[in-house]
C-alpha cells in the first residue's frame, strides 16, 4: 500500500512562489510583469524624491540661518548662490533680481510714484512665478506614485479574475472539480492581487508623505515671499 504522502493529486501545483508564477497563464504573467515595472519605477521615484526632499530641507534650514544673520540683502544674495536645492533661496534670488531692476529704474530721472507701485506688482508676480516653479519641481513624478497606488490593485484584480477564468475553463475540460484541480489555478491567480497590493501600498504611503512635505515647503516659500514683499514695500516707501 502506498504512503499517503506519495499520492499524485493530479495537478502541477508547486508550493513555492516562483513555481506558481512559472505555472501561471500568459495573461497572469503579463499582469505580474506590468506590476513589476510599476513597482520598480515607484521605488526608484521614492528613493530619488526622498533624497531630493532631504537636500531641500537641509539647504532651506541653512539658507534661513544665513538670511536671519545677514544685515544686507546683498550678503544674502551672495550666500544664496551656493544653494542649489533650496526652494526659499531660489525664491529670494528671483525676488532680489527683480528688486535690482527696480533700483535701476529709480535711478532714472523719469521715475515716479506710479513706477514704484508698478514695480511692487512686478516683484510679487516674480515671486509667485518662482514659487509655482519650485512647487512643480517638488511635485514632479508624484503623479506616477498616485497612479500606481490607485491602478495597481485593479490591475492585479484583473489578473486574478483572468486566472480564475482559466481555472474554471480547465475544470470544464477535465470534467472534475477536485481540490487538486482547483487549488493550483486559484493560488496562481491570487498572486496577481497580492502583487498589485504590494506595488500599491508603498506608492500610496510615500505619495502622501511627499505631498505633505511639499505642502510644508510651499507654505515656507509663501511665508518667505510675504516677508520679502514687506521689505520691498518699505524700500519703495523710502524712495
Amino acid at each position: 500500500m502506498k504512503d499517503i504522502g506519495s499520492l499524485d493529486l493530479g495537478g502541477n501545483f508547486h508550493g513555492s512562489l516562483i513555481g506558481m508564477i512559472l505555472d501561471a497563464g500568459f495573461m497572469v504573467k503579463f499582469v505580474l510583469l506590468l506590476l513589476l515595472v510599476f513597482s520598480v519605477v515607484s521605488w526608484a521615484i521614492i528613493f530619488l524624491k526622498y533624497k531630493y526632499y532631504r537636500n531641500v530641507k537641509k539647504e532651506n534650514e541653512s539658507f534661513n540661518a544665513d538670511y536671519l544673520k545677514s544685515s544686507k540683502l546683498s550678503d544674502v544674495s551672495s550666500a544664496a548662490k551656493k544653494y542649489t536645492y533650496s526652494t526659499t533661496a531660489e525664491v529670494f534670488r528671483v525676488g532680489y533680481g527683480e528688486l535690482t531692476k527696480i533700483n535701476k529704474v529709480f535711478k532714472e530721472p523719469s521715475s515716479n510714484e506710479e513706477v514704484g507701485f508698478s514695480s511692487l506688482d512686478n516683484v510679487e508676480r516674480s515671486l509667485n512665478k518662482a514659487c509655482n516653479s519650485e512647487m512643480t519641481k517638488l511635485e514632479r513624478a508624484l503623479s506616477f506614485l498616485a497612479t500606481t497606488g490607485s491602478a495597481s490593485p485593479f490591475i492585479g484584480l484583473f489578473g486574478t479574475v483572468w486566472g480564475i477564468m482559466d481555472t474554471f475553463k480547465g475544470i470544464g475540460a477535465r470534467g472534475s472539480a477536485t481540490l487538486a484541480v482547483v487549488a493550483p489555478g486559484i493560488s496562481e491567480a491570487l498572486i496577481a492581487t497580492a502583487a498589485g497590493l504590494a506595488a500599491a501600498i508603498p506608492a500610496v504611503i510615500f505619495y502622501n508623505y511627499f505631498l505633505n512635505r511639499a505642502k510644508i515647503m510651499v507654505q515656507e516659500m509663501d511665508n518667505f515671499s510675504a516677508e520679502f514683499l514687506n521689505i520691498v514695500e518699505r524700500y519703495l516707501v523710502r524712495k
Side-chain angles (χ1 to χ4, degrees):
M1 183 176 179
K2 291 185 179 180
D3 181 68
I4 190 170
S6 64
L7 291 178
D8 185 7
L9 296 178
N12 296 320
F13 180 69
H14 295 85
S16 66
L17 179 62
I18 296 177
M20 287 188 289
I21 293 174
L22 294 176
D23 289 338
F26 170 78
M27 184 57 68
V28 175
K29 288 179 180 177
F30 175 77
V31 167
L32 291 175
L33 179 61
L34 182 61
L35 291 173
L36 178 63
V37 172
F38 270 95
S39 182
V40 170
V41 175
S42 294
W43 278 109
I45 292 173
I46 288 169
F47 284 119
L48 291 175
K49 296 299 287 186
Y50 182 82
K51 182 179 179 181
Y52 175 72
Y53 275 61
R54 184 182 60 184
N55 290 334
V56 170
K57 181 181 179 182
K58 182 179 179 181
E59 290 199 358
N60 277 348
E61 292 174 351
S62 299
F63 172 75
N64 290 337
D66 290 340
Y67 176 77
L68 292 174
K69 70 181 181 181
S70 299
S71 57
K72 296 180 180 179
L73 291 180
S74 58
D75 295 337
V76 181
S77 178
S78 300
K81 294 178 181 178
K82 64 182 179 181
Y83 299 111
T84 56
Y85 291 98
S86 175
T87 54
T88 50
E90 178 61 23
V91 172
F92 173 82
R93 283 192 291 265
V94 173
Y96 185 76
E98 191 65 29
L99 184 60
T100 302
K101 296 177 183 178
I102 293 174
N103 191 42
K104 292 180 180 179
V105 171
F106 271 110
K107 290 181 180 180
E108 297 177 359
S110 60
S111 62
N112 51 42
E113 186 176 356
E114 292 183 0
V115 173
F117 287 111
S118 175
S119 299
L120 182 62
D121 291 336
N122 290 342
V123 173
E124 185 174 5
R125 284 193 294 268
S126 298
L127 292 174
N128 289 336
K129 182 179 179 181
C131 288
N132 291 333
S133 177
E134 292 303 305
M135 182 174 64
T136 301
K137 292 179 183 178
L138 290 172
E139 295 180 351
R140 185 175 298 161
L142 292 186
S143 59
F144 187 87
L145 294 181
T147 301
T148 300
S150 60
S152 291
F154 293 102
I155 296 174
L157 182 60
F158 170 77
T160 296
V161 172
W162 193 279
I164 291 175
M165 289 169 56
D166 282 345
T167 299
F168 281 112
K169 186 185 296 184
I171 292 173
R174 294 190 182 190
S176 62
T178 62
L179 182 63
V181 175
V182 176
I186 297 296
S187 61
E188 292 162 8
L190 289 174
I191 293 176
T193 298
L197 293 174
I201 291 173
V204 171
I205 291 174
F206 282 99
Y207 170 77
N208 290 324
Y209 171 76
F210 290 137
L211 193 63
N212 183 60
R213 291 285 298 274
K215 288 180 179 178
I216 293 174
M217 292 176 182
V218 169
Q219 186 61 50
E220 290 175 352
M221 286 189 291
D222 290 339
N223 293 339
F224 183 84
S225 297
E227 183 178 349
F228 189 83
L229 276 175
N230 290 337
I231 295 174
V232 174
E233 188 172 2
R234 288 194 294 268
Y235 170 78
L236 294 177
V237 169
R238 288 199 302 268
K239 289 291 184 177

